[in-house]
Amino acid sequence: PQCFATKSDEGWLSSMFAHKVDARKDAHSNLLSKKETSNLYKIQFHNVKPECMEAYNKMSDEVQKELHRDASYPCEVIGSWNNWYGEQDQAVHLWRYSGGYPALTECLRKLNRNTAYLAFRKERSKMLISRRNQLLLEFSFWNEPASRSGPNIYELRTYQLVPGTMIEWGNHWARAIKYRQENNEAVGGFFTQIGELYVVHHLWAYKDLQSREETRNAAWLKEGWDANVHYTMPLIQKMESRIMIPMEHSPLQ
C-alpha cells in the first residue's frame, strides 16, 4: 500500500477538523463559490459533424466577435476549443455572465430577438450531431479565468463526484490548489448548478504535452499533494480528461 509522510498526514487531518465547512448550514453554491462576484458560467459541448468542423469554427468566430462588440450583452466568451485528445470532433465553449441568473435571462431574451443570431443557430443546427450544456459556479479558491496569450494546450479534467461529497472535495482542493499554481497552469475551477449534478471541471493550461507531464510530476514532489490525491480519489465516481486546442478567436490562447 502507498505510504504517506506522518507529518503530512497530521497536518492535513488537523486542518480538516479545524477548518471544515459544515455542509448542513447552507447550500453548496453559497459555501463554495465566490462571494465578491456574482458571475455565472455556462459550458457548452457541441459534437460537430466531422466534415463541418472548419465551417463551424469560422461561423462561431464571427458570431462571438459580434456579441463582444455589443456591450449591452452581459455575457462574454472566456474560451473556445476543439478537442485534440478525448472525444473527437467536439467543440467546447465557456461563457461568463456578469450578474448571475438575471444576466443569463437578459442575454437569452436579447438573443431571441436578434434575427442574425437566430439565423446562425438555424445554420449551426445543420452542422451538429448533438449538444449539451451546464450552468456552473466557480470555486472561491481558484483563479478568476482571464485571457492569456499562447500558444497553449488546455486540459479540461471533469469529475463526477459521489452525491453529497462536494463540500469535502472543496475543502481538500482549497488547500491543494497551491501545489498546482507555480507554472501558472491553473485557469479555473467550477462545479455544476444545472445539468449533470455533482460534476466538477478543472481547467489547466500548458505549453505542450511534455510541459503537462513535467508539471504534473513536479506536484508529487511537494509534501501534501499525495495526501490530497489519497483523500479525494474515493469521492470520484467517474473522471475524464480532454486535451483541447484553442480556436482562433478564443480569449484563452
Side-chain angles (χ1 to χ4, degrees):
Q2 189 173 5
C3 298
F4 303 101
T6 302
K7 181 180 178 182
S8 173
D9 272 353
E10 289 176 352
W12 277 79
L13 287 171
S14 62
S15 63
M16 282 174 62
F17 289 109
H19 304 290
K20 190 171 183 180
V21 175
D22 188 344
R24 297 169 297 176
K25 294 189 180 299
D26 209 342
H28 292 170
S29 57
N30 293 329
L31 293 171
L32 294 171
S33 61
K34 283 179 165 58
K35 298 295 191 298
E36 67 274 15
T37 65
S38 57
N39 291 330
L40 180 70
Y41 291 83
K42 178 175 71 176
I43 192 167
Q44 297 175 307
F45 300 96
H46 290 172
N47 293 316
V48 184
K49 296 176 182 177
E51 66 274 17
C52 296
M53 184 61 78
E54 185 176 347
Y56 170 91
N57 287 347
K58 182 179 179 181
M59 191 164 59
S60 295
D61 181 11
E62 294 170 354
V63 171
Q64 290 179 12
K65 283 179 179 177
E66 286 300 318
L67 287 178
H68 283 174
R69 289 192 188 104
D70 191 339
S72 68
Y73 284 90
C75 63
E76 58 181 324
V77 177
I78 301 302
S80 290
W81 302 269
N82 292 141
N83 281 2
W84 185 20
Y85 289 103
E87 192 166 356
Q88 296 293 284
D89 304 310
Q90 185 179 75
V92 180
H93 305 281
L94 181 64
W95 296 75
R96 178 163 56 205
Y97 298 88
S98 301
Y101 291 109
L104 172 67
T105 302
E106 173 66 11
C107 192
L108 293 178
R109 184 187 65 81
K110 290 175 66 69
L111 288 175
N112 284 332
R113 296 177 179 176
N114 185 325
T115 55
Y117 182 78
L118 295 176
F120 155 72
R121 287 195 60 174
K122 184 176 181 180
E123 189 63 26
R124 185 188 66 183
S125 67
K126 303 173 186 177
M127 304 179 181
L128 298 181
I129 299 171
S130 64
R131 60 192 177 100
R132 62 188 176 92
N133 58 26
Q134 300 165 348
L135 292 181
L136 317 170
L137 294 177
E138 57 186 329
F139 284 112
S140 59
F141 48 84
W142 272 76
N143 320 351
E144 184 85 15
S147 301
R148 63 173 68 196
S149 57
N152 295 292
I153 63 170
Y154 288 80
E155 181 175 20
L156 182 66
R157 294 180 73 88
T158 300
Y159 304 89
Q160 177 74 56
L161 301 187
V162 175
T165 62
M166 185 66 74
I167 296 293
E168 190 175 355
W169 178 275
N171 278 323
H172 288 304
W173 268 97
R175 299 176 185 91
I177 188 63
K178 63 184 178 183
Y179 303 117
R180 296 297 314 277
Q181 292 180 317
E182 289 186 2
N183 292 327
N184 195 33
E185 70 265 30
V187 178
F190 312 90
F191 59 98
T192 55
Q193 283 290 282
I194 297 178
E196 297 168 281
L197 298 179
Y198 287 99
V199 173
V200 169
H201 298 291
H202 290 176
L203 183 61
W204 309 93
Y206 305 100
K207 290 301 179 185
D208 49 38
L209 289 174
Q210 183 62 34
S211 172
R212 171 186 177 273
E213 179 76 3
E214 294 169 356
T215 300
R216 288 173 55 80
N217 287 342
W220 287 98
L221 303 177
K222 300 169 185 174
E223 185 179 359
W225 176 251
D226 56 351
N228 176 64
V229 175
H230 173 73
Y231 290 125
T232 55
M233 284 301 292
L235 311 181
I236 301 170
Q237 286 186 325
K238 180 183 177 182
M239 57 192 295
E240 180 180 6
S241 168
R242 291 176 174 85
I243 300 296
M244 310 183 301
I245 303 297
M247 293 185 189
E248 185 177 349
H249 59 279
S250 175
L252 286 169
Q253 283 295 317

